Amino acid sequence: MFAVLVPWLFFAGGAVGVNPIISGTLSGSILGPIWPDYGLLALGFGIVTGWGITIAGTPFSANALLLERCTGYNTRVAAYDWSFRYSVISLAVSSLICGVLALPF
């Protein structure tokens, strides 16, 4: 069941300023050895999609900061007003896929 939360943890960390590369390194190195073998694909999928959604939908990512620097748009406007629905839908789909991939069959 924890596999469903992996992408959301990335996004929550990115929303408070945690770099997704740090999140990925820590989650992979901590969770990888204790994760069940049959669910490793779910963990990897959750880490990759969580990282991607985090860099696209949080105001502290390099993408948002470059957008602010080059265009003058506020990073919070870009991340939460423009991309928030996309982020939530993507996180929900990613969580569903992670949940299915984590099933032991």
Side-chain angles (χ1 to χ4, degrees):
M1 194 58 161
F2 188 69
V4 173
L5 298 176
V6 171
W8 292 92
L9 292 174
F10 270 82
F11 191 79
V16 297
V18 177
N19 188 325
I21 295 172
I22 304 279
S23 301
T25 303
L26 288 175
S27 62
S29 63
I30 293 170
L31 294 176
I34 62 172
W35 205 265
D37 288 339
Y38 60 83
L40 284 175
L41 185 60
L43 177 62
F45 188 82
I47 289 172
V48 170
T49 58
W51 176 79
I53 298 166
T54 300
I55 64 165
T58 58
F60 300 108
S61 68
N63 295 342
L65 295 172
L66 284 171
L67 176 74
E68 182 178 46
R69 176 80 173 144
C70 294
T71 65
Y73 286 112
N74 186 345
T75 58
R76 294 195 193 295
V77 170
Y80 295 136
D81 291 347
W82 299 345
S83 302
F84 189 70
R85 284 186 294 182
Y86 160 75
S87 297
V88 170
I89 290 169
S90 299
L91 286 166
V93 170
S94 175
S95 292
L96 180 67
I97 293 171
C98 286
V100 170
L101 291 175
L103 293 175
F105 42 67

